Structure formats: structure tokens, C-alpha cells
Amino acid sequence: MKIGRRSFLSFIIGGAAGTALSPLAWKSMDDSSIWSQNWPWTPVPADGEVSHVNSVCTLCPGGCGITVRKVDDRAVKIEGMKGHPVNDGGVCILGLSALQLLYGPTRVKAPLKRVGERGEEKWQEISWSEAVAEVAAKLGDLRSKGKSHTVCSILDSDKGTVPYLFGRLLTVYGSPNFIRTPSIQDSYELAINLMHGVQASAGFDVEHADFVLSFGSGLIDGWGSPVRMFKANSNWKDSGSKVVQIEPRLSNTAAKSDKWIPINPGTEVALAMGLAHVIIKESLYDSDFVNNYSSGFDKFKQLVLDKYNPDNVAQITGVDSSALVSLARNFAHASKPLAVCGRGQGKTQGSLDEFIAVHALNALVGNINSEGGVWAVPDPDYIKWPEVEMDSVAAVGMQKERIDGAGSETYPYARYLLNRFSGVVNSEEESPVNALFVAGANPLYTISDSKAVKEAFSKIPFVVSFSSYMDETAKNADLILPNHVFLERYEDVPMPVGLQKHVIGLSRPVVKPQFNTKHVGDVIILIAKALGGRIADAFPWDNYEACLEETLGDKWESIVENGFWSDPDFKVPASEEAFNTPSGKFEFIPANLKSPLDFSPVTIEGSDISYPLILVPYDSMRLANGFIGNPPFITKTVEDTVLKGKDVFVEINPKTAEEIGLIEGRYVDIRTPRGKAKVRVHLFDGIMPGIVALPRGLGHTAYDKYIAGKGINFNELIGPVEDPVSGFDAAWGIRARLTKV
Amino acid sequence: MSRLIEEKGKESESGGFIILFFILGLAASLVLGWGVFPKLLYSQKKQPIDFNHVLHVEAVEEGCESCHFFREDGSFSGLPKLAQCVDCHEEIQGEDPNEVKFVEEFVANEREVPWLVYAEQPDCVFFSHAAHVKMGKMECVLCHGHIGESSHSRVYEENRVTGYSRDIWGKNISGLKKNTWDRMKMDDCAECHAKNKIGYDKTSMETLPWPLNWALLPYEKQIGPKARVQAKKDACFVCHK
Ligand code: SF4
């Protein structure tokens, strides 16, 4: 028998019919669809017991309370803590993504010692005892050579037990070089110091203000404590409070404000003085406060009446004089007006004149230390450690001038000047810094003129990073002593930025340390103990947790239970007692200032001939631009007109674009006196002609492949411009040029 | 001549042969689809410990809930953790080799037993035991069958393609079922939910976690007696998270 073609076909047809009548086809289809929904790389959290831990987020200075949902030993979701005095249940997109920073690949998993060249990323894992011994040996060596003052620490904060431990170690070791990373806190503290005569942070009673005048502050773009500001903003909408936003670019804040006033960039100080002019001229100021509790008003009055009439100001700022007059009247007539400044998220210090001018506006309307106004909030004084006893080496070291020049004759007012750091190091043949410790900060990324900062770092013989992540600074360090991330450690988080209350939050271990990391507080104590003598004596605690518990004393139990402690009795003194200036009053023109302020706009770097455009940065909640790299979850939310693939877009007004012949999406080279980069063009009506803008928070070169290599770091294009009085970085932009590529 | 014979042969093929081969093909594929395929599709696995439900139900006081209970936050602890077993099984009780193995391998090493879960659903399926058992007052048996009456652990048949238990599709490869607990696919959920809305009144709706929108809306179309398209926004996300 021979099987022919027809029989064969018939067999196939029979087979097909049989298959259709069997479950094979539809069952396979069902199974393959389930299979395709369960790829092995799709993460599926294991089932288990659910629990919640209250803690505090430390990813920005906002100090939000968080509640972390756990399944067994794994943290699975971060939410805002209900009832927390800062954020009451809210959380920002960065806080939400923090689990990626806990479990993601960017962590440093053990103490690492550099074996290749700096930045080459050749590391050798070492033990903690080796790491501590190495640091102690280095410090001991420098000290024995009388070079203790060449040791320097850079931290993101000077409040709380961890910065205090660093400060204490430096003091008893013999170095005055504790440096805090720059922000508008510096300028606000200084303005308050000069005008109130007290050392305090600025607190803003935003919840009660009914007219908010913002000089470029990104109220809902991450200024102050971000989640608190979102909440305040929705309250303003509900209660009909007004928000006026003054800035050259239509930011989110400007778009959501009641009135957006575009202004020539950098001229905000003149506008503030112009508003003061109208308020004084029309006698709209709070005469009770001005007559009874202020001094220098006449001089101030003379200055604004002479130099800042609305027409002059209109010319400088580009803001129509009639708009200025009506803005001044509305502001002064509001029952609780509040003026704030510090551009964007307030990551650069800004010019002192501007802060003094804006603070003077607040004083004119009498809202200093009052409901809905600006408060001078002293640090809570819960850290009461015994004075350190210095030996002779330490005493000599502490007498030396600071490396950044803060507190010197040239810069008598500033406390920290990290912006001057690289200039100082680079100007000398041999680095004046012999050892540098960096904790909770990433200066190689966040400080402007990255190239110069990198050069300075490369000259410093010994750099130690305490970063939990392989950030730019860690990558270029000699030793990395990784700290636990905030979800794995105890730490007090005092003074959420901009809050007019005393609140201390407690970060606490939500999960066990995932890797061989160590609390930075413990490491400092171990280093001190290894150094011995008076240094060891200054650190009587067995470990950091014991130190923290002892420091918080009777607050410990309630802070552990609630996740935070807030002082119910906190008040600022009444105006009779609030000021500690030479006059005992609020000083419009600070008597303590040796050189007079001229209240003129800051000139930025670059000539307008070779660089016809002005480049300004902008901040967004979707791009973390501090020492934390933007986790991939958030990067996903960045619009295609900001970042597409690896390309960042420069915003430009369509008119300006037309003049130089650019169209949407076009690749261009952007050049500034400090650097150049290849970017793409985005036409945006919301930016003033002649100005271009780039976002901050992109262009990482470290961390991991998910964070690095996206866009460019704004700090590579801009350098510091020194404020003549304070020494702060007053740069608000830089001149730039676009060329087609 | 020889060509002629050949052609003749072919002609005869076209008659009975063709039908024969059709039947052969049909039969082969039916055997394959109904018989061989299910055998190939599922692998047979044994539970790490042969568990005797009968024995345990007799020994405990609160029935199923003694081991399969609700946690304080309302979530359901489906499989007991070792910690619960240890309460009674710190030491070996009796001589059953399974008991010995359990205590020696797991209790002594503080290792969780890697039970194979017959009712395991994909992660995207949101199912609340509290809603069904506490609010809906449903019996365990309704979905899980008489597992509490078994004295040995059944063989766990794992679908080689999906990795899930055969219990989900159901023992019957055709997908037909006799009892409510024979299958655990979405249609089975839908069937019960659809049934319960028939003649619903306020009280029965309240005991059902299913949102009120389960009642047919004017723009929805009935696509069959049981299943139907749920057109209301977000409806899918009640179960598919
Ligand atoms: S605002 Fe800051 S502190 Fe609050 S959740 Fe976001 S990153 Fe954390």
C-alpha cells in the first residue's frame, strides 16, 4: 500500500478537525497568555505578613514623616505619615521612589578601597576594622605633622547628631573646616542674623498667609519642604489666598499662581526695592512695627525713594510701572502678606542684597515673627553634650583660618562657603586640604563649575566618602565607607526646612541593613576611639544609637512611638525681645555690615557679544538635583520635551529660535564660558525671548546605568559669581550661545 | 500498461483510503488533544510533606481557622508559617516518617516548608479572603473543595507552561466542571458574582464586596448568560491590580 498525496492531505484535515475538537488549541492559547504575563523578570512580591513602620524621609531637607508598608522583612511601599506636622499624609515622588534607592543596584555594598586611578572604579573590598584603622592612621599622621587644620568635612546639614559628631571630631582633632553644602538657608540665616541679630533659620507660616509674593521661588517645584508647600498651595486655592509669581520662565508654580509677572532675570532685587518704594511713599507700611521695633528705616526710606521709583525699576526689571504700583498696593493691603525668595528649589545661595530687600518688604508690612509671616526660628537645643577638652594641637588647629575663607576678614559674615572651595584649592600649587570627608553630600555633582571641583578633588591626597551610593563623589574617592540608607538607620532629623515650629523627626530602621554597611555615626565614634587621647574622651558613647538615645533623653520614648517630637510650647519672642542687634531693633540697614549694600542686580558671567543668550536653570519635582540621584521611577515621569532618550532639551522662546534659525527638536551645541554640551531645542512660549533654560538634576556620570548618562549636568555649564559682601554664590545664570550641529 | 495500473491504484486510494486517513488523522489528534496533551502539559509533584488534614482538624479547636486565619490587619494568612506549626511540633510526635522529616528538616533548621499551593493565582489577581469569608459569609469549601477532609496531600500537578497548579484550570481538561470548587479561573469568579446579583436586594449587596455597578448598566451589553462586558471605568481594577 502506498500513501498518496490525497490520503496525506486527508490525514492532515482529519488531524486539524480532531485538534479543533480537542482542548489543545484553546488550552494552549490560555496557557501561553498566562505564561507571557509572568515573565521571570517581572518582579512579584512574595506574600507575607503586612506591617507598617513610621519613620522620616531624609532624601531632601523637607523632613516628611513617612509610613512604610512592609510584607514580612521587605519594604514594599512608602506613604506619607498621617498626622505628621510637616506633611500630614502627603509624600512626594522622590520619597515614593525611595525603595529603588534601598534595593536598587546603585548601593555601595561594603567598605571599598581604591586600587586603580581615581575615578577608574577599581576597588578592593576591605573590612570595617581595616577601613577605620586606615582613616585613623591618616588622621594621626597629619595631626603629628601639625596639619590637623588641613582636614575638612563636607555635609549637607549642620543640624542633628550626625553633623554634630562630625563637628565634634573636627574640633577636638583640631580643624575648623566643617562645611555645609550651599543653599538659600545660608542667605536667609545671614539676612536674619544681620537684621534680627540672632542665629536662626527662616520659618514661613505659609498656612496662614493670604497673599504670597514669590521672587522666583518654586513654591510647588520643590522650594522649602516640598510636600508641605503642595498642601499650603491647595489651601491657598481653597481659601482664596493670592499667589503672585515673579520669574522669567513659566514654571509650574507660575502656571498655578494667580498672577505671573515675567521679569528680566536677576533683577528681582530691584523689583523688591521698587515695591518698598511704593509702600513707603504711599505710607502703606505697618507704622507700629516700623516706628517701635525697627531702626535704620529713615536711611532705607531715603535709599528707596531716591533710587527705586517705579519708572527706574520698570526699566531695570522690564515690569510695567503701573503693574508694580498695583502689586505693591495689593501686597500691603493684604491682611497677611508674605514675601519669599530663593530661586527654584533654593539650591544656590543667591545675592545677600536680594534676601535683605525681600526681608525688608516683610518687615514693612509688619509680618516678622507673626502669624502668616516670616519667623526667625532658633535651632532646638536638645543636643547638650559636654564641652570638648582640646589638647594643644587641637587648640592651635582651631585657631587657623578656614579653608573656604568663611569668617575671615574678607568674608566675616558667612559661616560656610563651599562655592569658594575649589577656587582656593586650585589656586595653590599644593592642596591646602590634605584629607576630605564627605557625608550626605555629592559636591562633585551639585557644586557649580563641576570641572573645577573635580580638579580640586583630584589634588586632595585623601578623600573619604560616606555615601550609600556610588555617586560622583564616591566614585572619585580613595575610600568609601558606606552609610546605611535612611530606611536602615536611626537618625534624628531636626528642623524641616522652612518650618516655623520645632519638630524633630526620627529616621529609624525599617528593614535590616541589606549590605555590609555601617552607620556613619558609628564610624565617627570608632575613628575617634582609634585616635585615642582627648579625641577618644570626647566620644564617651559605645555606639551611635546609645549616643542618640542619651541625647534625646526624655524625648526618646515619645519620638520612638510617634516618629517625631514637636514642641507644643514653641514660640518666638515678641517684638520687644526678638532682636539682638546693636540697636535692639529690627534693622532695615544692618549696622553690623561694614560695607554698604548697593541692591543692584548681580551681573552674570560672559560677554553679551560672544554669548548673546542668557542660560538659566530650572528645578522640577520630577528631577532630584541634590545629593540623591534621580531614581528611575521618577525619570520615567519626565516629559519628552525635557528628556528624550539620552538627550536633554533646552527651552527657547520661538521668537529667539526663529532669529537663530532653530526648529523644534534640532540638535545644538550650547556653550557658556564654563563649558559646552550637545542638547536639543524645545520651543516654549513660556520663556522670555533671549533666555534659554535647562533643567537641573540630569547628567549623572556615576550611580548605575539607570541613573547615569541621561542629559547633562547644569553645573558643568555654570560657575559661581561671588557676592561681594557675603562671599556666597550669587549666580542665577550664565551667558550662553547656541550653535547648530 | 504499468502506468495504467498505477493510475488505477490511485483511483482506488481516492475512495476508501481518503476517508480512512481522515478518520485516522481525526482519531490521532483527538487522542493527542484529550489524552497525551494533558499528560505532557502537567508535571507531577509531591508536596514536601504529606499532610494529613483530618488528623489536624480533629486536634485543633477552631477548625480551618486555627491555621488558616486572618491577621490583625484583615489580611489572610493562607499558608501557616513554621512559627505556628512549632507551637505543637517542637518535638517529634509519634513515628510517622512525615512527622520525623518535618521536624528534622524544617523545624530544627528553622526553614519554612516550601508548600506547593494548589490555589495560587497570578500576582495581578487581587483577591480578598476577608471580603468573601467575613463579609460574604462563604464557606471555604465553596472554592477549595473538601481539602479539609483529606488524609494525604494530593499530587500537585504543575502546568509546565504557566507554572500554576492544575486546580486553576480544573482537573477536566475540557474546562467543564461539576462543583464550584472544580475550577478557579476568572469565569468562575464571574459566574458566582453574576449569580449573586440575580434578584439582589440591599442586604445581599452589602454583604458582597462587588460594587453596585455590577448591576447591568444601560450601555452594557449582555454577552452571555454568565459573563458580560463590564463597561464602567475602573471596573477591571477591582480584581486586576
Ligand atoms: S519632600 Fe523631601 S522629605 Fe518629603 S518625601 Fe519628598 S524627598 Fe522626602
Side-chain angles (χ1 to χ4, degrees):
Chain A
M1 185 179 89
K2 217 171 152 214
I3 301 166
R5 191 173 55 94
R6 289 187 189 177
S7 303
F8 180 70
L9 281 178
S10 170
F11 182 78
I12 297 290
I13 293 166
T19 307
L21 291 173
S22 86
L24 195 143
W26 75 85
K27 175 71 174 127
S28 303
M29 209 144 65
D30 189 79
D31 282 354
S32 46
S33 70
I34 295 173
W35 171 68
S36 69
Q37 286 162 24
N38 290 287
W39 301 120
W41 54 84
T42 312
V44 176
D47 202 15
E49 185 156 10
V50 175
S51 59
H52 293 88
V53 183
N54 286 339
S55 186
V56 169
C57 172
T58 63
L59 298 180
C60 89
C64 295
I66 52 170
T67 301
V68 185
R69 182 166 178 265
K70 285 173 66 182
V71 174
D72 287 344
D73 283 334
R74 202 174 166 83
V76 295
K77 174 84 193 288
I78 295 183
E79 285 161 2
M81 189 199 299
K82 296 218 171 66
H84 192 278
V86 174
N87 56 319
D88 187 19
V91 69
C92 86
I93 190 169
L94 176 60
L96 266 175
S97 314
L99 294 179
Q100 278 195 323
L101 297 167
L102 171 67
Y103 295 122
T106 178
R107 298 277 311 261
V108 179
K109 300 185 175 71
L112 297 179
K113 184 182 167 152
R114 174 174 68 83
V115 285
E117 290 299 306
R118 278 257 176 93
E120 210 188 0
E121 293 194 87
K122 284 199 181 139
W123 304 99
Q124 182 197 341
E125 247 183 69
I126 54 173
S127 71
W128 276 103
S129 51
E130 284 172 298
V132 168
E134 180 141 343
V135 175
K138 184 80 198 174
L139 288 179
D141 179 46
L142 286 171
R143 200 165 195 265
S144 67
K145 292 183 183 144
K147 289 184 176 172
S148 68
H149 61 285
T150 63
V151 175
C152 192
S153 283
I154 299 176
L155 271 78
D156 61 328
S157 166
D158 60 357
K159 299 176 182 30
T161 50
V162 167
Y164 270 52
L165 284 174
F166 266 95
R168 194 173 178 85
L169 178 63
L170 285 178
T171 306
V172 59
Y173 172 79
S175 167
N177 290 306
F178 177 99
I179 310 183
R180 181 179 72 181
T181 50
S183 72
I184 56 167
Q185 300 321 312
D186 296 313
S187 321
Y188 261 120
E189 281 172 15
L190 181 53
I192 286 176
N193 190 276
L194 292 169
M195 298 170 97
H196 296 219
V198 296
Q199 179 61 47
S201 306
F204 305 92
D205 189 7
V206 290
E207 285 80 9
H208 294 108
D210 69 354
F211 190 107
V212 183
L213 178 58
S214 151
F215 290 85
S217 304
L219 301 175
I220 53 166
D221 290 298
W223 183 90
S225 179
V227 177
R228 176 197 185 205
M229 294 307 295
F230 296 155
K231 296 213 158 209
N233 185 61
S234 21
N235 286 346
W236 295 331
K237 296 276 168 295
D238 294 344
S239 64
S241 302
K242 295 278 170 277
V243 178
V244 176
Q245 180 72 2
I246 301 162
E247 62 175 321
R249 177 182 171 272
L250 183 68
S251 62
N252 275 347
T253 306
K256 295 274 158 65
S257 66
D258 296 280
K259 189 168 188 167
W260 168 43
I261 303 181
I263 184 171
N264 292 337
T267 64
E268 290 85 348
V269 61
L271 186 74
M273 294 303 267
L275 296 172
H277 175 104
V278 178
I279 291 170
I280 293 175
K281 195 159 174 214
E282 300 187 1
S283 291
L284 303 174
Y285 56 86
D286 180 333
S287 50
D288 175 47
F289 181 81
V290 169
N291 295 338
N292 299 322
Y293 306 112
S294 82
S295 113
F297 177 70
D298 293 335
K299 241 166 119 186
F300 183 72
K301 178 176 173 180
Q302 202 59 46
L303 178 76
V304 292
L305 292 185
D306 285 355
K307 280 179 67 184
Y308 295 95
N309 73 57
D311 291 330
N312 283 349
V313 173
Q315 233 172 28
I316 304 171
T317 60
V319 176
D320 185 56
S321 60
S322 60
L324 185 152
V325 173
S326 77
L327 176 61
R329 288 178 187 154
N330 290 341
F331 179 69
H333 283 142
S335 74
K336 293 202 181 74
L338 171 66
V340 299
C341 61
R343 290 177 184 80
Q345 297 183 348
K347 294 280 165 66
T348 42
Q349 294 150 321
S351 86
L352 181 64
D353 310 40
E354 196 173 308
F355 284 77
I356 295 225
V358 173
H359 202 51
L361 267 186
N362 284 315
L364 282 178
V365 293
N367 73 1
I368 302 295
N369 291 338
S370 64
E371 196 182 77
V374 187
W375 299 27
V377 188
D379 288 357
D381 63 345
Y382 63 100
I383 305 183
K384 293 185 179 119
W385 298 340
E387 290 264 307
V388 292
E389 278 185 42
M390 290 191 269
D391 59 14
S392 56
V393 182
V396 172
M398 286 302 287
Q399 292 306 313
K400 294 269 165 59
E401 214 158 79
R402 283 171 61 96
I403 279 156
D404 61 2
S408 67
E409 230 168 85
T410 329
Y411 306 100
Y413 312 111
R415 295 170 66 213
Y416 316 108
L417 289 171
L418 187 54
N419 49 306
R420 294 193 68 253
F421 184 84
S422 55
V424 173
V425 174
N426 292 338
S427 67
E428 289 184 38
E429 186 79 20
E430 212 171 281
S431 166
V433 181
N434 280 312
L436 174 65
F437 297 85
V438 183
N442 183 12
L444 276 190
Y445 177 82
T446 59
I447 303 300
S448 70
D449 201 357
S450 314
K451 229 186 284 148
V453 182
K454 198 163 177 189
E455 188 189 327
F457 268 63
S458 67
K459 288 178 73 175
I460 300 171
F462 188 60
V463 178
V464 181
S465 163
F466 291 89
S467 179
S468 311
Y469 317 107
M470 189 53 90
D471 58 31
E472 283 78 1
T473 308
K475 189 173 148 181
N476 287 286
D478 300 298
L479 263 187
I480 312 178
L481 310 183
N483 193 3
H484 303 321
V485 305
F486 75 99
L487 295 165
E488 301 166 328
R489 70 170 190 250
Y490 275 112
E491 190 170 335
D492 49 330
V493 186
M495 296 286 288
V497 63
L499 202 68
Q500 78 292 4
K501 298 175 197 161
H502 269 175
V503 172
I504 306 170
L506 181 71
S507 235
R508 77 168 100 191
V510 171
V511 292
K512 297 195 287 282
Q514 304 292 304
F515 303 108
N516 182 19
T517 53
K518 214 177 192 49
H519 197 297
V520 57
D522 281 327
V523 180
I524 293 298
I525 293 174
L526 287 174
I527 292 173
K529 293 207 192 285
L531 283 164
R534 293 263 166 90
I535 304 177
D537 294 345
F539 293 81
W541 309 282
D542 287 343
N543 53 42
Y544 174 73
E545 210 179 310
C547 162
L548 182 65
E549 192 175 334
E550 189 190 306
T551 308
L552 287 166
D554 53 7
K555 296 183 188 71
W556 177 253
E557 264 174 39
S558 79
I559 207 172
V560 167
E561 192 175 318
N562 304 321
F564 65 90
W565 172 86
S566 108
D567 183 356
D569 304 323
F570 176 72
K571 278 204 297 284
V572 275
S575 294
E576 288 82 13
E577 288 148 21
F579 308 112
N580 197 18
T581 51
S583 63
K585 294 179 170 177
F586 179 90
E587 294 190 345
F588 276 98
I589 303 280
N592 271 341
L593 265 186
K594 287 190 219 124
S595 43
L597 298 168
D598 69 355
F599 296 102
S600 59
V602 175
T603 314
I604 51 166
E605 198 179 344
S607 87
D608 49 358
I609 298 163
S610 16
Y611 300 102
L613 300 169
I614 289 173
L615 170 68
V616 295
Y618 69 89
D619 295 337
S620 150
M621 283 306 293
R622 298 180 188 188
L623 287 170
N625 60 33
F627 71 94
I628 295 293
N630 214 44
F633 277 156
I634 323 189
T635 308
K636 286 247 183 255
T637 71
V638 175
E639 301 94 328
D640 266 0
T641 52
V642 174
L643 177 76
K644 192 166 190 180
K646 295 193 177 313
D647 297 321
V648 63
F649 286 76
V650 61
E651 288 180 354
I652 182 168
N653 188 286
K655 244 195 243 151
T656 315
E658 201 184 330
E659 279 164 25
I660 37 184
L662 296 176
I663 50 162
E664 178 74 32
R666 179 84 207 229
Y667 281 96
V668 287
D669 265 341
I670 183 161
R671 273 168 214 269
T672 71
R674 297 281 170 160
K676 85 169 220 210
K678 193 170 150 200
V679 297
R680 292 178 72 180
V681 167
H682 172 52
L683 305 187
F684 182 41
D685 282 315
I687 190 156
M688 284 171 82
I691 300 174
V692 292
L694 277 171
R696 270 198 277 233
L698 289 168
H700 278 287
T701 53
Y703 289 94
D704 54 39
K705 62 180 179 184
Y706 306 104
I707 296 177
K710 293 184 164 55
I712 53 148
N713 179 4
F714 190 84
N715 290 318
E716 283 169 15
L717 297 174
I718 191 169
V721 173
E722 203 167 288
D723 182 88
V725 179
S726 63
F728 293 157
D729 177 11
W732 47 265
I734 189 162
R735 297 210 70 99
R737 167 171 93 234
L738 297 183
T739 41
K740 294 180 212 167
V741 285
Chain B
M1 183 64 196
S2 64
R3 248 185 105 200
L4 247 169
I5 293 169
E6 252 184 56
E7 274 179 9
K8 243 191 147 183
K10 240 186 200 167
E11 252 166 41
S12 67
E13 182 205 10
S14 61
F17 258 0
I18 292 176
I19 292 172
L20 178 69
F21 273 98
F22 178 84
I23 291 170
L24 275 178
L26 187 74
S29 61
L30 286 176
V31 169
L32 188 77
W34 289 96
V36 182
F37 169 63
K39 286 244 155 44
L40 287 177
L41 184 61
Y42 295 105
S43 67
Q44 312 261 318
K45 287 192 172 169
K46 263 174 61 186
Q47 293 283 6
I49 302 284
D50 185 15
F51 187 85
N52 187 335
H53 268 100
V54 176
L55 210 68
H56 283 86
V57 174
E58 274 169 15
V60 295
E61 278 166 14
E62 289 171 39
C64 309
E65 285 226 21
S66 312
C67 300
H68 310 286
F69 55 87
F70 287 91
R71 299 190 189 98
E72 257 174 42
D73 65 352
S75 65
F76 186 64
S77 157
L79 281 181
K81 290 253 153 149
L82 195 64
Q84 285 145 239
C85 312
V86 168
D87 281 348
C88 304
H89 292 270
E90 186 115 50
E91 304 287 327
I92 299 173
Q93 308 183 24
E95 276 157 27
D96 189 299
N98 276 295
E99 167 75 10
V100 177
K101 183 178 174 201
F102 174 62
V103 176
E104 282 179 354
E105 254 182 51
F106 299 101
V107 179
N109 300 327
E110 292 180 23
R111 229 181 91 208
E112 291 293 340
V113 185
W115 296 111
L116 302 162
V117 189
Y118 302 107
E120 178 90 347
Q121 294 279 347
D123 187 58
C124 56
V125 179
F126 177 79
F127 179 85
S128 162
H129 272 93
H132 291 84
V133 179
K134 297 257 170 182
M135 292 156 73
K137 309 262 180 288
M138 282 165 62
E139 296 290 334
C140 308
V141 178
L142 209 59
C143 302
H144 294 286
H146 296 280
I147 191 148
E149 295 162 25
S150 65
S151 47
H152 290 282
S153 294
R154 273 188 291 135
V155 171
Y156 176 91
E157 291 185 81
E158 187 180 277
N159 187 313
R160 292 185 208 264
V161 180
T162 66
Y164 290 100
S165 154
R166 183 168 187 168
D167 287 33
I168 308 303
W169 176 266
K171 187 80 185 158
N172 187 335
I173 197 72
S174 69
L176 297 175
K177 66 175 181 184
K178 280 203 231 92
N179 307 304
T180 46
W181 55 84
D182 284 348
R183 266 169 64 97
M184 296 182 118
K185 299 272 298 172
M186 178 179 144
D187 286 347
D188 306 285
C189 304
E191 184 185 305
C192 193
H193 278 275
K195 225 193 289 169
N196 277 293
K197 80 120 211 183
I198 296 168
Y200 77 85
D201 56 43
K202 273 255 152 56
T203 42
S204 71
M205 276 315 289
E206 265 162 26
T207 57
L208 267 178
W210 198 257
L212 269 170
N213 61 20
W214 182 253
L216 214 58
L217 293 166
Y219 50 82
E220 289 180 314
K221 91 172 189 273
Q222 185 96 25
I223 57 166
K226 288 170 187 168
R228 45 191 214 100
V229 175
Q230 184 80 17
K232 190 147 178 174
K233 198 172 145 244
D234 287 351
C236 305
F237 301 112
V238 174
C239 303
H240 297 277
K241 297 282 171 187

